[in-house]
Amino acid sequence: LEFRRVLFRSIGKLLYLNPFIYITEALRRSMLGGESYFTLTFCYSMITLFSVFFFITGYWALKKKLDAI
């Protein structure tokens, strides 16, 4: 039982690496309001951070793939 609790908590923490979590949290906060969701500032910051990360990663991969040398 304790192992399951630790496993589910660690899986729950890994879900914060999914950018769609912040998109849905921002939508919930803006439509429903309430204090139980992430703040919009935090959600926008994380969405921007993920966007920059994926842009840089995609640019690097494309440049590596198209490099003739």
Side-chain angles (χ1 to χ4, degrees):
L1 187 63
E2 182 65 29
F3 173 72
R4 258 203 239 166
R5 188 178 307 145
V6 170
L7 179 67
F8 288 141
R9 283 187 181 167
S10 60
I11 290 173
K13 298 229 187 254
L14 283 176
L15 287 177
Y16 288 128
L17 296 175
N18 185 355
F20 293 110
I21 295 292
Y22 302 104
I23 295 169
T24 56
E25 286 289 320
L27 286 171
R28 283 182 192 159
R29 178 76 179 224
S30 63
M31 290 183 184
L32 301 175
E35 297 296 320
S36 61
Y37 307 116
F38 290 141
T39 62
L40 288 176
T41 308
F42 178 70
C43 289
Y44 293 153
S45 301
M46 292 305 291
I47 291 168
T48 304
L49 183 75
F50 276 112
S51 297
V52 168
F53 172 74
F54 287 128
F55 177 78
I56 290 172
T57 305
Y59 180 76
W60 174 78
L62 183 66
K63 191 173 179 179
K64 184 178 174 184
K65 185 76 171 174
L66 294 178
D67 193 17
I69 298 175

